[in-house]
């Protein structure tokens, strides 16, 4: 077993290992949390993990059906005390489900029905205007104060985050290995520092003959990737909230690193609330990756991204790329989506 495979196995088998070994770790809920803060060596940050295929009786009693499966999993683990070691958990307002989960947890704690860490919120504003950038900058300064982090921590955090951005960009620019590896890397990097393993990693190329592009909601795991690989296809690019490209290019600290970070957050094109032309992004990605086909996997709880589906399907048609739209999808793949994807790939003339 090579170093990458070993690291991925360890990270995904015990996502909280690094956090449990740290003093007063900080939890994260929301995939647009600033990497530059999470990379600060003053505190240990870890996204709260989710688990599909598990029972969530307490979460089901508290949450209405509009909450996605990952939110139910996190709340169930919270109720069972799995996150007791965290000092605080920061939720992002840039994701609708993360924002609503924050308010539910605050109310459950207020009523004495839930214990656990202090819940905080990062009020990210996504509308592309100067006022939103300033609003996000104020929210970032408030968060740094709440976490007892000085502005000076951003210098080292940005430098380390830029190293991770460079690694992710390199991996995506030459994405020739089996697609499930990239999904595993993106997920493992939420919980553990990927740099010691990834900076010098060399991946083995996929033997798949045909390439597939994945867009829509962020899947819980690599089920879609492995389904494609079992049929001679490989996912060569992804456009969703957990994309390796979501952190963007290198960030310059400048005279006001908080303002620079707020500007980057405001321009994030991968969040569900992003103000972006997703059809144009897809056209560029299809050209960049040379994908032979595309699949859109959209969960029933994802209310924003389906609005772009018509224009994205048109982009595929204009590019001559067959596409499959799996809408109202079940987060745990209990709806036959895997079989639909398999039939779609098997039915494409080769």
């Amino acid at each position: 077993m090579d170093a990458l495979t070993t690291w991925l196995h360890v990270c995904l088998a015990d996502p909280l290992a690094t956090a449990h070994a740290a003093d007063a770790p900080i939890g994260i809920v929301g995939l647009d949390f600033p990497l530059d803060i999470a990379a600060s060596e003053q505190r240990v940050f870890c996204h709260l993990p989710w688990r599909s295929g598990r029972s969530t009786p307490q979460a089901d009693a508290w949450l209405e059906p509009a909450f996605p499966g990952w939110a139910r999993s996190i709340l169930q683990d919270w109720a069972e005390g799995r996150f007791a070691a965290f000092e605080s958990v920061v939720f992002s307002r840039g994701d609708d489900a993360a924002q609503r989960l924050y308010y539910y947890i605050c109310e459950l704690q207020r009523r004495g029905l839930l214990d656990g860490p202090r819940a905080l919120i990062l009020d990210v504003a996504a509308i592309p205007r100067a006022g939103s950038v300033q609003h996000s900058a104020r929210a970032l300064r408030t968060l740094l104060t709440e976490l007892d982090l000085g502005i000076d921590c951003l210098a080292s955090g940005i430098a380390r985050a830029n190293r991770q951005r460079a690694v992710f960009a390199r991996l995506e620019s030459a994405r020739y290995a089996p697609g499930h590896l990239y999904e595993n890397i993106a997920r493992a990097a939420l919980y553990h520092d990927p740099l010691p393993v990834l900076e010098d990693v060399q991946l083995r190329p996929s033997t798949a003959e045909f390439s597939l592009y994945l867009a829509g909601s962020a899947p819980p795991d690599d089920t879609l990737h492995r389904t494609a690989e079992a049929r001679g296809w490989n996912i060569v690019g992804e456009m969703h909230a957990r994309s390796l490209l979501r952190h963007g290019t290198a960030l310059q600290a400048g005279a006001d690193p908080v303002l620079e970070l707020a500007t980057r957050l405001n321009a994030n094109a991968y969040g569900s609330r992003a103000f972006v032309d997703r059809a144009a992004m897809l056209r560029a990605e299809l050209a960049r990756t040379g994908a032979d086909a595309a699949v859109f996997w959209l969960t029933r709880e994802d209310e924003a991204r389906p609005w772009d589906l018509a224009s994205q399907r048109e982009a595929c048609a204009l590019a001559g790329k067959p596409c499959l739209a799996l809408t109202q999808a079940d987060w745990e793949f209990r709806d036959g989506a895997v079989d639909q994807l398999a039939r779609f790939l098997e039915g494409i003339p080769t």
Side-chain angles (χ1 to χ4, degrees), residues 217-239:
S217 307
D221 52 36
D222 61 8
T223 296
L224 296 173
H225 303 72
R226 291 187 182 274
T227 298
E229 290 162 23
R231 281 142 187 95
W233 287 71
N234 191 38
I235 291 179
V236 296
E238 302 178 52
M239 192 170 77

Side-chain angles (χ1 to χ4, degrees), residues 238-255:
E238 302 178 52
M239 192 170 77
H240 53 66
R242 206 164 64 247
S243 166
L244 287 176
L245 296 177
R246 74 184 186 276
H247 299 300
T249 57
L251 181 69
Q252 303 302 317

Side-chain angles (χ1 to χ4, degrees), residues 12-327:
L12 298 178
D14 190 0
L16 298 178
T18 298
H20 284 158
D23 180 32
I26 306 297
I28 301 167
V29 177
L31 296 169
D32 61 348
F33 187 86
L35 180 62
D36 311 82
I37 294 178
S40 168
E41 295 181 312
Q42 292 187 21
R43 306 294 296 269
V44 169
F45 289 81
C46 174
H47 198 288
L48 299 190
W50 55 85
R51 291 181 288 165
S52 61
R54 49 85 58 93
S55 176
T56 56
Q58 288 173 280
D60 292 344
W62 291 328
L63 302 179
E64 70 265 21
F67 276 90
W70 63 260
R72 296 178 182 281
S73 175
I74 286 175
L75 183 56
Q76 185 66 36
D77 277 339
W78 193 303
E80 294 174 1
R82 192 178 183 208
F83 306 134
F86 288 92
E87 175 197 271
S88 304
V89 175
V90 183
F91 296 76
S92 170
R93 190 165 276 159
D95 179 272
D96 180 64
Q99 171 189 259
R100 289 185 290 124
L101 185 59
Y102 162 78
Y103 289 117
Y104 274 62
I105 286 175
C106 286
E107 178 62 14
L108 289 167
Q109 288 182 328
R110 186 191 69 80
R111 294 170 60 186
L113 299 175
L114 197 67
D115 295 322
R118 173 182 59 159
L120 302 172
I121 194 161
L122 175 59
D123 194 2
V124 178
I127 300 175
R129 61 188 181 192
S132 293
V133 174
Q134 293 293 340
H135 181 91
S136 296
R138 289 192 294 271
L140 286 169
R141 291 189 178 96
T142 298
L143 179 65
L144 291 173
T145 299
E146 289 173 324
L147 298 180
D148 195 26
L149 292 172
I151 300 295
D152 57 331
C153 80
L154 286 182
S156 62
I158 289 172
R160 191 166 185 80
N162 283 343
R163 287 171 57 195
Q164 187 167 325
R165 289 183 175 106
V167 168
F168 285 175
R170 175 176 63 83
L171 292 175
E172 281 288 345
S173 66
R175 186 166 167 152
Y176 51 79
H180 76 269
L181 282 177
Y182 300 90
E183 189 283 331
N184 291 178
I185 288 169
R187 192 152 37 100
L190 296 175
Y191 318 127
H192 303 273
D193 181 6
L195 289 177
V197 173
L198 294 185
E199 280 195 305
D200 298 316
V201 72
Q202 298 295 323
L203 303 180
R204 297 177 181 177
S206 166
T207 58
E209 186 176 356
F210 306 105
S211 57
L212 182 66
Y213 195 87
L214 173 64
S217 307
D221 52 36
D222 61 8
T223 296
L224 296 173
H225 303 72
R226 291 187 182 274
T227 298
E229 290 162 23
R231 281 142 187 95
W233 287 71
N234 191 38
I235 291 179
V236 296
E238 302 178 52
M239 192 170 77
H240 53 66
R242 206 164 64 247
S243 166
L244 287 176
L245 296 177
R246 74 184 186 276
H247 299 300
T249 57
L251 181 69
Q252 303 302 317
D256 187 345
V258 173
L259 185 60
E260 295 294 333
L261 184 53
T263 302
R264 173 61 60 86
L265 283 175
N266 181 250
N268 176 26
Y270 289 88
S272 61
R273 292 183 173 179
F275 285 76
V276 63
D277 185 341
R278 290 194 175 93
M281 283 183 63
L282 180 63
R283 287 193 296 271
E285 282 290 276
L286 290 176
R288 180 183 70 85
T289 61
D292 299 306
V295 58
F296 304 98
W297 185 76
L298 299 153
T299 61
R300 63 173 62 98
E301 301 87 4
D302 196 337
E303 299 177 354
R305 296 179 193 276
W307 288 99
D308 298 296
L309 182 56
S311 60
Q312 289 179 314
R313 294 180 75 167
E314 182 180 5
C316 287
L318 291 173
K321 310 290 185 182
C323 67
L324 172 67
L326 299 169
T327 59

Side-chain angles (χ1 to χ4, degrees), residues 1-19:
M1 189 177 292
D2 60 35
L4 175 62
T5 303
T6 300
W7 179 76
L8 290 173
H9 175 76
V10 170
C11 290
L12 298 178
D14 190 0
L16 298 178
T18 298

